[in-house]
Amino acid sequence: MASNQGNEQGKAAGSSQKASDASSPKGMSKRGFAAMNEEQQREIASKGGQAAHQKGTAHEFDSEEARRAGQKGGEAVSRNREHMAEIGRKGGESRQSAQRASASTGQQAKAGRQGAKGGGDKG
C-alpha cells in the first residue's frame, strides 16, 4: 500500500513537471525525432509507411475518398481571403505578361516581314 502511494505521488510529480515544461521558455533543446534533420525524419517515416503496407494495415485512398479530401482542403484554403487574393493577382499578372509577350512577338514578326520587303528594293 505504501508503494502505491509512492507511485501516485510520483505520477503527480510527473504531471506537474510536464505542466512546468510547457510554460518553460521556447529555448528548450529538441529531443528524439524533433532533433533529427528533415532527411532523417523522412527516412524513418518512409520505413514506417513501407512496414504498414507490408503488414496490410496501411490506408490507401480510393478515388472518391481522395476527391473528398482534396475538396475539403480546397475549402480550407479558400477561407483565407488574403491568400486567394494573392493567387488571383499572380494569375492576372501571368495572363497580362503572356498577352504582352504574344503581342510583342506579333509586332516583331510583322516588322521582320516589312524589313524583308524593303530589303529587296535596295538590291
Side-chain angles (χ1 to χ4, degrees), residues 9-54:
Q9 287 175 349
K11 287 179 185 177
S15 63
S16 66
Q17 185 179 9
K18 287 180 183 177
S20 66
D21 286 350
S23 63
S24 63
K26 290 185 178 182
M28 276 182 61
S29 62
K30 294 180 180 179
R31 296 170 25 187
F33 200 71
M36 297 177 192
N37 66 32
E38 193 172 327
E39 188 177 320
Q40 288 174 316
Q41 289 181 0
R42 284 179 188 269
E43 189 176 324
I44 291 171
S46 174
K47 287 179 182 177
Q50 289 171 2
H53 279 282
Q54 289 173 357

Side-chain angles (χ1 to χ4, degrees), residues 79-106:
R79 286 190 202 113
N80 183 343
R81 303 299 298 159
E82 189 175 312
H83 175 69
M84 295 304 289
E86 184 181 339
I87 291 171
R89 276 193 299 276
K90 286 182 180 179
E93 291 168 2
S94 176
R95 175 177 258 169
Q96 285 177 347
S97 64
Q99 287 175 345
R100 288 183 189 138
S102 67
S104 67
T105 304

